[in-house]
Amino acid sequence: MPHMFVPGPVDVAPEVLQAMIKPLLPHRSKEYEAIHRSAAEKSQKVFFTENRVLIGTHSGSGMQEAGVRNLAQQDILVCVNGAFSERWYDVAVSNGKNPIRMDAEWGNPISPDALRDALKKKDFESIAIVHNETSTGVENPLRDLCAVVKETSPDTLIMVDAVSSLSGSKIEMDAWGIDFLLTSSQKCLALPPGLSLAGVTDRALDKAKTVQDRGWYFDLVLMEKHRIKNSTAMTPVVSLVYALDFQMDRIFAEGIENRFARHEAMSQRVYDWALDNGMSPFAAEGARSKTVATINNEHSMDISELNAFLMEKYQMRISNGYGDLKGKTFRIATMGETTLDDVEALLKAIKEFLSK
Ligand SMILES: Cc1ncc(COP(=O)(O)O)c(C=O)c1O
């Protein structure tokens, strides 16, 4: 099987794929509702929350849109330090909100001090933070950023995109005070694309009820109405929900803390290897992602050629840099089912390419 070191869609275990091929149940049946409920309740453990987890049968971008549509009538502070946080800002603009950007240079994390200053200058209904910037390989100091919001502007709702980190890097939704925590299925959860999950607090839902023009598909109040009945307003991707329920048991069997440790060890191995081989991580020290190592392409490798070599000889694939970073960086995702042995095999293969 080709092994994909790309930041989603990642490899899915054959037994997880197998779980999807059970006969389809009608989504308004007791049997389906039991599976939906089981998947949602198991997901709460991975979110470290007692709050509800909504299962959205669309990709994570839909939950980004749901966040901005529901958790602010107008004023959102968007922390931008990469392509996906920039996109969240664009999503807010295109939904008619009034987002204000707080930028940090790509490669650097969002600074808690800069956040404190921004929150002192203006009141915001909500703040949007991308935990793990997949475009730059930066993990933002989420716990510290949440603490700053709690201390400086406790009424501001905290929205977090953990699309490329949830279940690979620990995020404690309740302990850190996050109101809306979203992720996608095709990254660290190691499921096929098409599902998104969002942990949502009561406080966030109370706010949503006051916001005008929430739309229909991404209305959190409507989603909650159907979640209580263990289903969705529209026809869900039933087979993916089977897979989610099954995959959660596999995650618990590994142990969630072991899973975090495995992700950290794999990414650390990539950073150490890069430094040993004359290449440096793109992200600042102390802010390096545990799930997508982004490395400066200091040997000017042709990443397309490298991928052609990896695919042909080893059925492996990595990612080029994102957007303007294409060619200047390359990205090795260490997510989901990937093991340290897989990473060792990849690094050996890249070394072989380099020595040619
Ligand atoms: C950090 C981040 N946010 C949002 C998205 C968009 O998620 P999706 O493709 O599931 O809509 C991605 C996709 O790679 C991402 O990495």
Side-chain angles (χ1 to χ4, degrees), residues 239-266:
S239 11
L240 281 178
V241 178
Y242 297 162
L244 172 64
D245 189 48
F246 184 81
Q247 178 67 333
M248 281 296 162
D249 289 337
R250 293 181 74 249
I251 292 175
F252 301 147
E254 176 180 17
I256 186 72
E257 296 293 341
N258 294 337
R259 192 176 179 85
F260 297 141
R262 176 168 58 83
H263 280 77
E264 184 158 9
M266 291 190 294

Side-chain angles (χ1 to χ4, degrees), residues 64 78-90 101-110 130 132-138 140 161 282 322-325:
Q64 278 195 337
V78 185
C79 301
V80 179
N81 61 338
F84 292 99
S85 40
E86 190 154 63
R87 188 193 286 176
W88 210 355
Y89 171 84
D90 293 340
R101 289 170 70 125
M102 193 191 92
D103 279 81
E105 200 181 326
W106 287 32
N108 284 338
I110 300 292
V130 170
N132 190 71
E133 249 305 346
T134 323
S135 57
T136 59
V138 166
N140 280 310
D161 167 327
F282 180 73
Y322 193 96
D324 291 346
L325 294 175

